[in-house]
Amino acid sequence: MEIRPAGPGPAQPAGDVVSAPQPAWRLTVDADTCIGSGICAGIAPSLFTLADGVSVPVAGPLAPDPAAIDAAESCPVEAIAVRDAADGRLLAPEA
């Protein structure tokens, strides 16, 4: 008869740890459509500014932010697009 200490057995190596990619969004503004109402900058000032009478989104991918969706949905001329950075899928405005 073999006597073993109580408790869990020896630790096994976990192997390679693979992280799932973090979701990211891209914002675009159609400058030809934008009327410069500033609603987007009012809703999401950290994501949009007004320059030369049109909205300018932050550059590069960003972490998902509900304010981006709100801004796109509130744009009176639907000049803002929020897309999934990985596959380009349109997230807002809803069609």
Side-chain angles (χ1 to χ4, degrees):
M1 174 159 117
E2 181 181 342
I3 299 175
R4 292 192 231 171
Q12 298 293 320
D16 294 336
V17 176
V18 177
S19 297
Q22 296 298 315
W25 292 354
R26 288 195 185 276
L27 306 176
T28 58
V29 174
D30 182 338
D32 292 331
T33 302
C34 180
I35 60 172
S37 71
I39 294 172
C40 57
I43 290 173
S46 64
L47 302 177
F48 299 93
T49 59
L50 291 179
D52 298 324
V54 296
S55 178
V56 178
V58 296
L62 62 130
D65 186 336
I69 300 289
D70 290 344
E73 295 290 341
S74 298
C75 179
V77 293
E78 296 187 349
I80 299 169
V82 179
R83 295 186 178 278
D84 185 300
D87 62 13
R89 180 174 45 96
L90 182 66
L91 304 172
E94 289 184 359

